[in-house]
Amino acid sequence: MIWINIGDKSYQATGINVATTNDGFASLWIEKPTGKTMNVLTADESTIREHKEAIDFAVKDGHKIYEIA
């Protein structure tokens, strides 16, 4: 589990997923501890994939918070 901080909002996440579209954009989706999913960020696909990889690394490395500026 990790907290995702985006600006002034914080989201507790038990899972992270990426959804891509045909126009080069993607969305970062989280799964909350309640089992519900939520789109927390939409940007170009490469940016979203970078965040996904960084979050996965942070979780494996034992970090509890990931900040998105």
Side-chain angles (χ1 to χ4, degrees):
M1 189 167 2
I2 192 164
W3 283 92
I4 309 294
N5 293 342
I6 302 174
D8 62 344
K9 298 186 189 232
S10 294
Y11 307 97
Q12 191 175 25
T14 58
I16 308 292
N17 294 302
V18 173
T20 59
T21 61
N22 292 333
D23 59 0
F25 286 92
S27 297
L28 186 69
W29 287 78
I30 64 164
E31 182 175 337
K32 298 168 122 185
T34 62
K36 295 188 178 205
T37 59
M38 176 181 191
N39 177 3
V40 294
L41 183 66
T42 301
D44 62 275
E45 187 173 351
S46 63
T47 300
I48 294 298
R49 293 219 178 265
E50 281 181 26
H51 284 302
K52 166 75 165 97
E53 290 174 13
I55 293 167
D56 287 345
F57 178 79
V59 168
K60 287 179 186 173
D61 206 36
H63 295 275
K64 301 294 181 194
I65 298 172
Y66 180 77
E67 297 272 347
I68 298 177

